[in-house]
Amino acid sequence: MIQGFRNNYVHIILAHLITTALIILGFLFLIIPGIILACRLAFVSYLVMDKGLEPVAAIEKSWEMTRGHGLRIFGMGLAAVPLFCAGLLFFIVGAVVAVMWVKAAFASLYYAIDARQQWENDPYIVRE
């Protein structure tokens, strides 16, 4: 696990900086574009680590992967807010658990969407 981070360290930092800059830029344009960008770029860090993509390629792939899943990602983000607030009530320790839970949920969604896209693009599967 640490080796994968060590190999992709620069790409992870660059991808995070570019993604954050795009989302902040989107929020400057009346909040809604920022929300859309945040939802569509939710998988950038997973793509850099899992697929070893360059930051710009990961942004493009995340944009492609999240097409049609924006409301689901937005709903998960909305559900994360009260979960995090409830975690704060438990002396910050609960917030750490809440963040881990939310990150695990987003990782699970990434895995499900990636597996579905791989299945749809597999030429050896006969579909009727």
Side-chain angles (χ1 to χ4, degrees), residues 74-119:
F74 180 68
M76 287 177 63
L78 280 180
V81 172
L83 186 65
F84 181 74
C85 291
L88 286 176
L89 294 175
F90 291 101
F91 305 109
I92 311 296
V93 175
V96 172
V97 173
V99 167
M100 290 188 323
W101 195 354
V102 169
K103 290 290 187 182
F106 274 98
S108 177
L109 180 63
Y110 162 75
Y111 180 76
I113 292 173
D114 184 48
R116 182 175 181 182
Q117 287 184 348
Q118 286 180 3
W119 181 81

Side-chain angles (χ1 to χ4, degrees), residues 46-60:
Y46 300 116
L47 288 165
V48 171
M49 282 300 293
D50 185 36
K51 307 288 185 193
L53 296 178
E54 300 280 327
V56 174
I59 289 170
E60 292 170 355

Side-chain angles (χ1 to χ4, degrees), residues 4-20 43-59:
F5 183 73
R6 191 176 309 170
N7 292 341
N8 294 324
Y9 181 74
V10 173
H11 291 172
I12 292 168
I13 298 300
L14 285 174
H16 183 70
L17 289 174
I18 293 170
T19 303
T20 302
F43 296 153
V44 171
S45 60
Y46 300 116
L47 288 165
V48 171
M49 282 300 293
D50 185 36
K51 307 288 185 193
L53 296 178
E54 300 280 327
V56 174
I59 289 170

Side-chain angles (χ1 to χ4, degrees), residues 22-46:
L22 287 172
I23 292 170
I24 289 172
L25 186 65
F27 273 107
L28 292 176
F29 289 106
L30 302 175
I31 298 175
I32 301 298
I35 293 172
I36 293 169
L37 283 170
C39 291
R40 296 299 298 270
L41 301 178
F43 296 153
V44 171
S45 60
Y46 300 116

